[in-house]
Amino acid sequence: MPTKSTPAGDHTELAYQRRLPLSTQTLSFLTGLLGAHLKKIRSRWRKLATGRITVIVLAALRHDQRLADLAGGNNVSRTTVDRWLKEMIELLAARAPRLERVLAKIAREGGSVVLLDGSLIPTRRQTGLPMKRHWSAKHKRHELPIIALTDIHGRLLWTSTARPARGSEITACRHDDLVGRLREAGSAAIADLGFVGLDDATGDPAVITGYKRPRGKKLPPAKKLVNELIAAERAVCDHAFAHLKNWRVLTKLRLDVKWATRLVRALMILTQHEIAR
């Protein structure tokens, strides 16, 4: 039966502009980092200029723009943008310091206290047995916990490996032997009640936490005061994670989970440059 509807005409693709709220210092740093890498590997040609590639990658990280949309607006393929993004993540993550160097630097500067906290990164639901380890029964979603150390001013110093959500924050700290490394460096960490039991030492603990209220009882005024003092010192941790999660790519991770650790460490480096301007 012949149709009477008129065929659709040619569709028109439109490209729109969006503001990227980042400093010139961050853009210059990332452009220089990419330029030095291209010179090192002797890459003589790229589809776009180095500065344009940097802007595309920052748009993907800051606004969580879809790679296909970024590719269409810049006349390149999606796989090309994906390759640029992962290349930049690896370059930035390689600059993230190791835990021993962070603690040694704090000791050289005369400090002895860091702030310990954890956060969760929601991930896209995927099928298969390995993804069951990333299911959080508490929050009813797939996610990856990370542990971070900040200084007393709330600046991110170190982030841990992103581990499966079925383990607790204490388990993640024990994987990195955080207590042992703090003792070796002569440092101590202030943490919230979620880390109670991480350090069982009574004389000179490496991880200082508050007091949990016993079931059916009330905390004495002295212990309440201790909890208030610890909470006041740890308030800057929330600012540190807020700066990190301004990168909306962490709103819901769509990359493969094996990139989660490198992504968080790359964003930590970008955050340090952004808030230090």
Side-chain angles (χ1 to χ4, degrees):
M1 181 178 179
T3 179
K4 295 182 180 180
S5 60
T6 58
D10 295 336
H11 68 282
T12 303
E13 293 185 355
L14 300 176
Y16 65 93
Q17 294 181 344
R18 185 169 183 175
R19 180 174 176 268
L20 193 60
L22 293 172
S23 65
T24 306
Q25 177 184 349
T26 302
L27 179 62
S28 300
F29 161 70
L30 205 55
T31 303
L33 184 63
L34 178 59
H37 172 68
L38 296 182
K39 184 177 181 180
K40 181 180 179 181
I41 64 176
R42 299 181 180 180
S43 177
R44 297 180 295 175
W45 182 84
R46 285 289 170 98
K47 186 74 173 178
L48 296 176
T50 307
R52 190 63 183 172
I53 294 175
T54 301
V55 171
I56 293 173
V57 171
L58 288 175
L61 296 176
R62 191 69 169 187
H63 290 304
D64 196 22
Q65 290 278 14
R66 301 300 194 269
L67 301 187
D69 295 338
L70 289 171
N74 292 277
N75 296 321
V76 294
S77 66
R78 184 196 178 282
T79 55
T80 299
V81 177
D82 181 69
R83 185 172 65 253
W84 289 343
L85 176 63
K86 292 179 178 178
E87 181 181 45
M88 200 76 78
I89 289 174
E90 287 185 338
L91 290 175
L92 289 168
R95 301 176 67 89
R98 293 182 297 179
L99 180 58
E100 295 85 356
R101 294 184 178 180
V102 168
L103 297 177
K105 182 179 179 181
I106 293 175
R108 286 196 306 269
E109 295 175 352
S112 59
V113 176
V114 293
L115 305 178
L116 173 64
D117 204 357
S119 186
L120 297 167
I121 303 173
T123 64
R124 183 180 58 180
R125 181 184 180 275
Q126 297 177 352
T127 59
L129 183 61
M131 285 305 298
K132 290 184 177 180
R133 302 170 60 212
H134 303 129
W135 173 257
S136 172
K138 179 180 179 180
H139 299 105
K140 302 296 186 293
R141 66 183 184 185
H142 290 84
E143 57 190 13
L144 296 169
I146 59 169
I147 305 298
L149 291 181
T150 67
D151 61 10
I152 58 176
H153 302 293
R155 292 173 295 203
L156 279 169
L157 302 175
W158 172 82
T159 57
S160 70
T161 303
R163 302 191 183 278
R166 70 178 184 182
S168 64
E169 293 177 333
I170 292 180
T171 303
C173 291
R174 287 173 177 165
H175 272 291
D176 294 314
D177 190 21
L178 189 57
V179 174
R181 295 182 182 183
L182 286 170
R183 291 189 187 280
E184 290 177 3
S187 302
I190 301 176
D192 61 11
L193 297 180
F195 294 89
V196 172
L198 175 59
D199 187 8
D200 297 329
T202 55
D204 187 17
V207 178
I208 303 170
T209 59
Y211 297 94
K212 284 187 176 182
R213 181 179 63 85
R215 182 175 297 180
K217 298 181 181 180
K218 294 184 178 180
L219 278 177
K223 292 186 177 181
K224 283 185 178 180
L225 180 60
V226 171
N227 286 352
E228 291 175 0
L229 292 175
I230 290 178
E233 288 292 329
R234 293 191 61 264
V236 293
C237 284
D238 296 331
H239 298 289
F241 278 110
H243 285 302
L244 184 65
K245 291 189 176 181
N246 277 336
W247 302 94
R248 297 179 186 172
V249 70
L250 295 180
T251 303
K252 191 170 186 179
L253 184 66
R254 289 194 299 272
L255 289 172
D256 195 299
V257 293
K258 67 181 181 181
W259 284 89
T261 300
R262 282 173 283 185
L263 175 63
V264 172
R265 290 175 177 170
L267 296 180
M268 180 186 70
I269 299 299
L270 286 176
T271 302
Q272 290 174 348
H273 280 269
E274 184 64 17
I275 65 177
R277 69 181 189 272

